[in-house]
């Protein structure tokens, strides 16, 4: 008569299940915490592809940068206007270029950026302002 | 016990794989724009090659670089350069297909308007008339790798150079074994393959009226997405907006009832040129062109039009791959 291996669970099997479950839980927790940390938007400023500044989107201050003979000023944006008043969390927060002495003013005309992944580019000054943080629902922006 | 260890290793490997393939990214200032390259499974050495390729393309095709092949063509009336010859050949094909709505010899007209410079202005009708005469009296021909330019008009390949750059980078990456990359060439987007999890790339299309909004999101793999619109380079004088997409017939900003055209194609050069051409031609002629090329077997020849009366028209081939934004102010229609 043919014999079959013992199919009853052993202690080692249980250990494997526990270790795999623990690993899965750790990865899930790690990814969840990464997302939570990234939930708030951050303004990142690069000059000539090198990061020179980084501040939370809730910043009330204006920020001025100069490069390649161009000076531009970033200002906070809330609900359709430049503001220095206190921010409300249920309003859309963003950042825009309020002033620039570049020849074309493309950066000013870009208007406010309010979502992760969006950017303002000043080509003459080689200054790029990008919003990073919460995972956007797209990989890249065309246009 | 060995089986247990094997199962454990398998589980760990599975979990690590689920974390995704490592990517390498770089920003590059080239071709009068800033480009963002992201390559999955790539490294800095591969990004170096991409950057070098972009620099070489710029050094060859920019008419503003005195040592470029295009500058030599404009100055000397002829040049021998395989890239310029091949690209101009494609440019002429698009010109022929679009009744010159895309035309690669408008350099003097572009300079007269000064878009994107500190001397933007509205040229006089007389000035435009003279420039248009020069454009229409000029001709170019290609013999092997040599291009001949007759007449006073100058070549400007800015309308297809980024599309060409996208093609070159995709070929370079494929050759290096890369299967997944997203290349943002200053708003013109080239995607290689699909994402590392096998899903399509999600490409948001910028709202021409508000840079903070999107018209919707395209889900695509292996494609080029390029946009021509009135919002890119323009200036206003006496309450009138003048944009940089010029009509070869008038020498002035094209007026076709459109605010922007986004072109989706599997060929970068054609996508780049056709977004401009379709903007000049308007919806009706663009759709006729699409019908013609679909009939000839083109697999991906799709468009998204934004009209000046607040409509977004997208071609039927995008019905499953374009998700309109729910936030916008537009009405959306599928057209064919």
């Amino acid at each position: 008569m043919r014999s079959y291996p013992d199919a009853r669970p052993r202690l080692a099997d249980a250990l494997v299940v526990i270790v795999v479950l623990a690993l899965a839980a750790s990865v899930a927790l790690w990814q969840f915490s990464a997302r939570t940390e990234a939930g708030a938007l951050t303004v990142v400023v690069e000059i000539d592809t090198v990061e020179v500044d980084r501040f939370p989107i809730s910043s009330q201050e204006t920020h001025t940068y100069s490069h390649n003979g161009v000076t531009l000023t970033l200002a906070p944006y809330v609900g359709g206007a430049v503001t220095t008043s206190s921010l409300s969390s249920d309003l859309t927060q963003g950042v825009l270029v309020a002033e620039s002495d570049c020849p074309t003013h493309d950066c000013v005309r870009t208007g406010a950026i309010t979502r992760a992944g969006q950017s303002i580019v000043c080509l003459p000054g080689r200054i790029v302002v990008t919003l990073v943080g919460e995972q956007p629902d797209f990989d890249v922006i065309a246009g | 016990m060995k089986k247990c260890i094997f199962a454990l290793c398998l589980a760990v490997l599975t979990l690590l794989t689920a974390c995704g393939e490592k990517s390498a990214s770089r920003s590059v200032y080239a071709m009068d724009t800033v480009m963002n390259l992201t390559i999955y499974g790539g490294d800095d050495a591969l990004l170096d090659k991409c950057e070098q390729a972009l620099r070489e393309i710029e050094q060859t095709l920019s008419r503003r670089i005195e040592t470029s092949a295009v500058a030599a063509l404009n100055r000397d009336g002829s040049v021998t350069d395989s890239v310029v010859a091949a690209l101009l050949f494609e440019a002429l094909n698009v010109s022929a297909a679009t009744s010159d709505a895309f035309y690669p010899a408008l350099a003097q007209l572009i300079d007269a308007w000064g878009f994107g410079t500190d001397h933007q202005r509205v040229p006089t009708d007389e000035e435009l008339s003279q420039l248009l005469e020069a454009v229409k009296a000029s001709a170019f021909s290609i013999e092997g790798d040599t291009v001949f330019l007759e007449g006073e008009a100058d070549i400007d390949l800015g309308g297809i150079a980024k599309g060409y750059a996208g093609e070159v980078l995709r070929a370079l990456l494929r050759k290096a074994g890369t299967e997944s990359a997203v290349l943002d060439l200053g708003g013109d987007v080239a995607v290689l393959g699909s994402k590392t999890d096998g899903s399509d790339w999600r490409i948001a299309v910028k709202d021409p009226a508000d840079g903070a909004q999107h018209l919707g999101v395209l889900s695509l793999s292996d494609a080029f997405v390029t946009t021509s619109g009135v919002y890119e380079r323009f200036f206003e004088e006496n309450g009138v907006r003048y944009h940089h997409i010029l009509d070869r017939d008038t020498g002035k900003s094209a007026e076709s009832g459109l605010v922007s055209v986004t072109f989706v194609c599997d060929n970068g050069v054609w996508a780049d040129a056709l977004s401009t051409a379709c903007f000049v031609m308007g919806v009706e002629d663009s759709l006729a062109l699409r019908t013609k090329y679909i009939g000839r077997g083109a697999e991906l020849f799709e468009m998204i039009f934004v009209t000046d009366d607040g409509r977004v028209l997208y071609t039927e081939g995008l019905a499953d791959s374009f998700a309109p934004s729910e936030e916008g102010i537009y009405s959306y229609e599928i057209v064919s």
Side-chain angles (χ1 to χ4, degrees), chain B residues 281-296:
Chain B
M281 292 194 298
V283 174
E284 198 173 316
D285 287 349
S286 298
L287 290 177
L289 187 70
R290 176 180 179 271
T291 302
K292 183 175 159 185
Y293 275 86
I294 294 283
R296 290 181 182 179

Side-chain angles (χ1 to χ4, degrees), chain A residues 109 115 118 137 139-140 142-143, chain B residues 32 187 202 204 206 212 234 327:
Chain A
R109 287 197 297 238
R115 297 179 184 181
Q118 293 179 329
D137 61 353
D139 301 299
V140 63
Chain B
D32 204 20
R202 290 178 57 78
K206 195 183 281 184
F234 67 91
E327 302 170 357

